[in-house]
Amino acid sequence: MRRALVLFNQAMRWHDNLLLSEQAEFDQLIAVVVLNPDDYLGRQYGIQRASIQRLQAQLKLLLNWQQQWQQKQQVLHIRIGPTDLCLQQLAQLYGADTLIAAEPTAPEQYQQLLQSGLKLKLFDINSLLQHQLRPDLATLPKSFSAFRREREPDLWVQPPEQHAVTTQFHADPSLAVDTTALDFINRYHQPTAALFNEAAGLERLMQFIWHHQAVIDYKQNRNALDGDWNSSLWSFYLANGTLSPCYTWQQVLVFEQKQVANESTYWLRFELLWREYFRWQMRQHGRAWFSKNAFRPPLDFSSPQADPRFELWCKGETGLPFVDANLRMLLHTGWMSNRGRQNVASYLIFELQQDWRLGAAFFEQHLLDYDCASNWCNWAYIAGVGNSSARQFNQIKQALTYDPDGDFVRHWLPGKMATGSSVHQPEPQVPIQEFWLPFLQQLKVSL
Ligand SMILES: Cc1cc2nc3c(=O)[nH]c(=O)nc-3n(C[C@H](O)[C@H](O)[C@H](O)COP(=O)(O)OP(=O)(O)OC[C@H]3O[C@@H](n4cnc5c(N)ncnc54)[C@H](O)[C@@H]3O)c2cc1C
């Protein structure tokens, strides 16, 4: 009897999921998810990999996925420990020799699958460019624009095929959770944690495109710092694999065909292409992305050194209100707008002169939509390492544009009494940058 494990990490969804389909070469399939505590509680550059909120959200997602299997009278195994060892043990228990899984982009995750020693059968279910559209890494265009020009014409994707869940899944229910997993769950499970599961992701997709039709004004609104309908908030679900990017893309196309196609609807797909671009960039250069100058030689993986300015930045206490407010939002909610991310990153790298990898590690810790490729490649992009030249932002100009009345800053820094845009005035300890000066002169109190 031939058996394979099916790993549902980054694949906890029923729609557009090849991992659920029939695998003719096997008699039985064993469903499992693994949570590797090191990916959350381990440290990089002295920074914990994940906040307790991110760990709890992941744990809640796993348990919710297991419940969904139970409701279908099926068994999903949960294992908590080093991914390779957990998979080896389960494979031994069931006599499986193959691992079926979603193809990761993070080099570390890929390594963990390889180390299991099982034969790998990977499906790239979280990329837009799948199957015959899969790019050749050797000839991957360097810049986003070239990548987009080359790949966009291919992406009139068909509706993703619906795969009936195969009847090959089999398990001994008594093995669903082992004692290590139970101990961990008892310790960290928090019922009130955020739940970014498939149902919530599909609901958000429908609401944003069809019910609120927020997609029609996306381009004008996407740079807002907060707000329920200014951007899609699909990142949580795309990052954890509960929402299929092909289905998402295709829903935007259907909306364009049936309702409205404008610059905004196009721009949403444009942003999904950024995600795609970084996925393939991450796969092309792998671990080299974590070097000081990303993949530019010579590779330097030595740990970056932080100074007290980094600690203040992490707490949202730099004294530059626009930066601090965005960071406080991240600390409180686990999310920050794209505009906020760009500004705080630029400030850390260029004004505070810190190694970009410290900021990336801090974002990895706190972002509930953390995605290895999107996070590390965006940081490298702003720092100007890797494929891009540096992108420095003028925080005062940006504050005037995106928070003209200062309401966002006053919301996240409630101690600030200044009215109008004058709330963006840097505190006395902040060295004034010359390129801020014309914009500092425009700060006004409200009348
Ligand atoms: C320094 C920095 C770090 C980031 N870290 C992450 C991260 O860990 N995880 C993550 O998902 N995104 C990351 N982003 C990209 C972007 O900020 C978020 O995807 C976006 O803000 C999420 O909100 P949304 O879903 O409402 O986005 P929308 O504006 O509605 O965009 C739709 C989708 O397109 C994709 N997307 C949009 N912008 C980008 C981008 N610049 N790069 C890659 N994909 C994009 C996302 O999947 C997003 O959900 C980062 C950006 C920066 C500048």
Side-chain angles (χ1 to χ4, degrees):
M1 172 147 328
R2 280 207 70 192
R3 294 196 178 113
L5 302 185
V6 184
L7 179 66
F8 281 94
N9 288 23
Q10 298 209 291
M12 291 181 247
R13 64 178 194 242
W14 302 105
H15 72 288
D16 188 26
N17 189 352
L18 269 171
L19 303 191
L20 294 164
S21 63
E22 164 133 17
Q23 309 290 333
E25 66 273 42
F26 298 102
D27 302 301
Q28 288 182 336
L29 302 174
I30 320 299
V32 57
V33 281
V34 178
L35 187 151
N36 181 0
D38 243 23
D39 293 346
Y40 295 83
L41 301 173
R43 293 189 161 260
Q44 60 185 340
Y45 319 136
I47 300 166
Q48 188 164 303
R49 300 284 299 269
S51 63
I52 190 73
Q53 288 80 0
R54 188 155 83 74
L55 169 61
Q56 287 170 342
Q58 183 63 13
L59 196 54
K60 188 158 176 182
L61 178 64
L62 254 60
L63 293 170
N64 177 269
W65 181 236
Q66 191 181 51
Q67 257 172 15
Q68 294 182 45
W69 278 69
Q70 274 163 4
Q71 282 158 8
K72 292 181 188 287
Q73 272 79 49
Q74 296 271 15
V75 175
L76 172 87
H77 300 78
I78 292 187
R79 289 295 179 271
I80 294 184
T83 309
D84 51 345
L85 293 183
C86 289
L87 293 171
Q88 277 163 15
Q89 282 164 2
L90 201 64
Q92 218 165 29
L93 220 51
Y94 282 100
D97 65 353
T98 301
L99 176 68
I100 298 170
E103 183 177 338
T105 45
E108 182 187 33
Q109 281 172 16
Y110 193 71
Q111 198 56 31
Q112 289 170 2
L113 301 191
L114 282 176
Q115 279 168 5
S116 72
L118 297 165
K119 281 180 223 145
L120 296 186
K121 185 172 176 189
L122 302 178
F123 293 99
D124 195 12
I125 61 168
N126 293 316
S127 293
L128 284 171
L129 297 168
Q130 298 179 24
H131 311 301
Q132 69 278 15
L133 298 183
R134 189 180 175 92
D136 175 3
L137 290 182
T139 58
L140 197 66
K142 282 196 171 69
S143 73
F144 170 70
S145 300
F147 172 82
R148 182 179 62 77
R149 273 195 303 273
E150 190 180 295
R151 291 294 159 169
E152 211 169 26
D154 297 338
L155 271 169
W156 298 96
V157 285
Q158 298 296 315
E161 287 167 34
Q162 273 310 331
H163 305 283
V165 179
T166 175
T167 52
Q168 291 165 295
F169 285 105
H170 155 90
D172 173 351
S174 69
L175 299 177
V177 186
D178 64 9
T179 49
T180 318
L182 267 180
D183 288 348
F184 192 91
I185 293 166
N186 287 337
R187 180 147 183 220
Y188 289 105
H189 176 47
Q190 170 55 262
T192 58
L195 178 61
F196 300 110
N197 67 358
E198 179 184 30
L202 290 174
E203 174 67 16
R204 177 72 198 173
L205 185 75
M206 288 304 136
Q207 290 284 342
F208 193 79
I209 298 180
W210 296 99
H211 299 158
H212 284 260
Q213 304 205 341
V215 58
I216 295 177
D217 305 313
Y218 169 74
K219 190 157 185 249
Q220 295 87 289
N221 298 335
R222 59 180 279 273
N223 281 308
L225 303 171
D226 55 11
D228 289 346
W229 302 104
N230 289 321
S231 69
S232 70
L233 302 183
W234 295 337
S235 52
F236 305 106
Y237 313 98
L238 290 167
N240 71 14
T242 52
L243 193 57
S244 146
C246 288
Y247 181 66
T248 304
W249 180 276
Q250 194 258 341
Q251 281 296 302
V252 181
L253 285 184
V254 175
F255 183 84
E256 288 179 322
Q257 281 154 8
K258 293 197 172 161
Q259 300 278 337
V260 182
N262 64 12
E263 253 197 318
S264 279
T265 56
Y266 168 72
W267 213 263
L268 193 47
R269 290 190 286 109
F270 181 91
E271 293 301 333
L272 290 170
L273 273 182
W274 268 105
R275 172 183 176 275
E276 191 69 15
Y277 166 69
F278 285 139
R279 285 177 74 77
W280 293 102
Q281 284 292 323
M282 180 55 82
R283 283 179 177 160
Q284 186 181 39
H285 298 287
R287 193 172 155 268
W289 275 106
F290 304 92
S291 154
K292 189 172 168 54
N293 289 314
F295 48 84
R296 283 188 203 156
L299 296 185
D300 174 2
F301 294 105
S302 58
S303 242
Q305 298 304 313
D307 69 27
R309 290 175 298 177
F310 175 63
E311 309 304 331
L312 291 173
W313 180 89
C314 291
K315 290 189 269 187
E317 292 178 6
T318 65
L320 189 60
F322 188 60
V323 165
D324 290 346
N326 275 294
L327 284 162
R328 301 279 180 98
M329 180 188 197
L330 174 63
L331 292 170
H332 278 84
T333 66
W335 191 81
M336 192 195 292
S337 68
N338 186 55
R339 189 53 46 180
R341 293 178 205 205
Q342 290 172 324
N343 273 281
V344 303
S346 168
Y347 191 65
L348 183 76
I349 297 165
F350 301 110
E351 275 76 48
L352 301 185
Q353 301 270 301
Q354 307 289 303
D355 189 312
W356 65 277
R357 295 171 299 165
L358 288 168
F362 179 79
F363 267 29
E364 173 171 340
Q365 183 181 51
H366 288 281
L367 282 174
L368 291 178
D369 66 8
Y370 170 68
D371 171 80
C372 179
S374 292
N375 185 54
W376 287 80
C377 297
N378 264 298
W379 271 93
Y381 181 75
I382 291 173
V385 295
N387 278 331
S388 60
S389 45
R391 282 167 55 87
Q392 187 172 12
F393 288 73
N394 180 333
Q395 284 77 18
I396 305 296
K397 178 172 186 237
Q398 296 268 314
L400 277 165
T401 310
Y402 298 106
D403 187 25
D405 302 321
D407 293 338
F408 176 80
V409 161
R410 272 185 299 276
H411 177 78
W412 290 107
L413 305 176
K416 291 250 166 230
M417 294 303 162
T419 60
S421 62
S422 68
V423 77
H424 294 302
Q425 182 66 42
E427 287 182 16
Q429 73 272 24
V430 176
I432 298 296
Q433 309 294 319
E434 213 174 305
F435 65 101
W436 290 349
L437 291 175
F439 301 97
L440 284 172
Q441 285 162 9
Q442 295 174 33
L443 299 183
K444 289 197 215 88
V445 293
S446 68
L447 299 174

